[in-house]
Amino acid sequence: MALHLPKPRSKSVPQSAVGLDGMRVKVAAAAAAGVARAQETATGLAGLSATVPVRQLRSEIGNEGLRQAVIDAGRKPPSDRTLRRWAQHGRIPHPDVAELAQRRAAIARLGGVNAVAEQIGRTPSSVRKYMAGKTNELRNDAKSKLKAAKAEDTMQKAGILRPDGTPKVATIRVTGRVHVRNGDEAGYDYRTRTLDFGNSDVPFSVDESRELAAALANDDQARVVAILERHATLDYPENKGFDVYGDQFGFHFDAIESLDVTWH
């Protein structure tokens, strides 16, 4: 008779995330990658990403905006034909150019340089330097304000926010390989399970839903995993027995195969 053993735990380097309680935890890189794949395919996650397709970039900032991102990256200005090819293939071949184009488009969506400067409490010159890549990161308070403004805009366009600004509530079904930690790695069991949080006695709250949507909007897939793990640990009825979620305790994803979310 064949012996069916649990699959071994992923060897990929874990990613750091900040959970809902402000606690920094480590999540499996394979689980975060599963969330990223779901953002590309799942209907309920459509539009919930800080990274927009090249066609959208081109429509928002035009050929001149894309060309300026290339110049800002220190590269030779491309022809209109090259830019059309990027849009057709859905790919900018240079990561530095892609990053600067995404920055330029995000600032355009938020109303332009002056509007963003007012929102984050910096001068227009500072915003232009950031947009052009002369400043790689904004200062902490400005960085967090810009991140929040971008997430709010993404959530609004994705239809996650109601007219009064409150978020819709997430109903979640997630399938993945999981294990339980109880202060010691001995006795770990890795198995594929489907968790239907929508049928839980304690469904996702408004606050959890907002934080989940904001994490998705910021492409912070590691934080999404941490939010899902915390809910599974503390609120999912099949996993009673934990009063705390952290690196050494609770329900943890080794990989996520599918993530389906509907918003009500």
Side-chain angles (χ1 to χ4, degrees):
M1 180 180 293
L3 182 63
H4 297 285
L5 297 175
K7 293 181 181 179
R9 188 179 181 189
S10 170
K11 300 296 184 182
S12 60
V13 177
Q15 296 183 5
S16 182
V18 178
L20 289 182
D21 300 325
M23 177 188 297
R24 188 166 291 278
V25 294
K26 293 181 179 178
V27 303
V35 173
R37 288 192 297 272
Q39 284 181 271
E40 296 177 356
T41 58
T43 303
L45 304 184
L48 272 177
S49 173
T51 304
V52 303
V54 181
R55 283 183 183 274
Q56 184 175 334
L57 286 176
R58 191 165 175 243
S59 69
E60 290 174 343
I61 61 177
N63 282 350
E64 286 310 309
L66 278 175
R67 189 172 288 111
Q68 187 59 51
V70 176
I71 294 171
D72 290 339
R75 297 179 180 274
K76 180 181 177 180
S79 65
D80 285 353
R81 181 180 179 182
T82 296
L83 297 178
R84 285 196 301 272
R85 187 169 66 248
W86 289 359
Q88 289 168 356
H89 294 172
R91 178 177 174 270
I92 296 176
H94 313 294
D96 52 349
V97 174
E99 166 63 23
L100 295 180
Q102 292 286 348
R103 288 188 189 185
R104 185 171 290 273
I107 289 170
R109 286 194 297 273
L110 292 173
V113 169
N114 292 337
V116 169
E118 185 174 349
Q119 287 181 69
I120 67 175
R122 288 291 180 270
T123 64
S125 176
S126 296
V127 176
R128 289 191 186 94
K129 287 179 180 178
Y130 170 75
M131 184 171 65
K134 295 178 181 178
T135 301
N136 194 40
E137 289 288 358
L138 295 166
R139 293 180 185 176
N140 285 341
D141 57 339
K143 179 180 177 181
S144 61
K145 288 179 181 178
L146 179 58
K147 185 177 180 180
K150 288 165 62 179
E152 194 83 4
D153 179 68
T154 299
M155 291 159 64
Q156 187 73 52
K157 286 182 169 61
I160 305 303
L161 300 182
R162 303 181 192 280
D164 63 358
T166 59
K168 295 178 180 178
V169 176
T171 299
I172 297 170
R173 183 181 176 90
V174 57
T175 298
R177 196 163 76 245
V178 300
H179 62 274
V180 175
R181 301 180 192 174
N182 194 14
D184 190 338
E185 292 196 8
Y188 272 26
D189 187 12
Y190 302 95
R191 66 181 70 183
T192 299
R193 292 179 56 186
T194 296
L195 286 75
D196 189 352
F197 292 150
N199 289 326
S200 169
D201 293 338
V202 184
F204 256 56
S205 67
V206 172
D207 289 341
E208 283 178 303
S209 299
R210 175 181 283 279
E211 293 301 323
L212 182 79
L216 289 163
N218 285 318
D219 292 333
D220 190 350
Q221 291 90 3
R223 180 169 168 80
V224 173
V225 175
I227 293 171
L228 295 173
E229 290 182 346
R230 178 185 179 278
H231 187 87
T233 298
L234 302 179
D235 298 321
Y236 197 58
E238 294 184 21
N239 302 320
K240 294 301 182 184
F242 288 97
D243 297 321
V244 63
Y245 160 68
D247 282 342
Q248 299 304 319
F249 296 92
F251 188 93
H252 293 263
F253 285 100
D254 196 50
I256 288 179
E257 298 174 6
S258 67
L259 175 62
D260 298 310
V261 183
T262 55
W263 305 88
H264 302 282

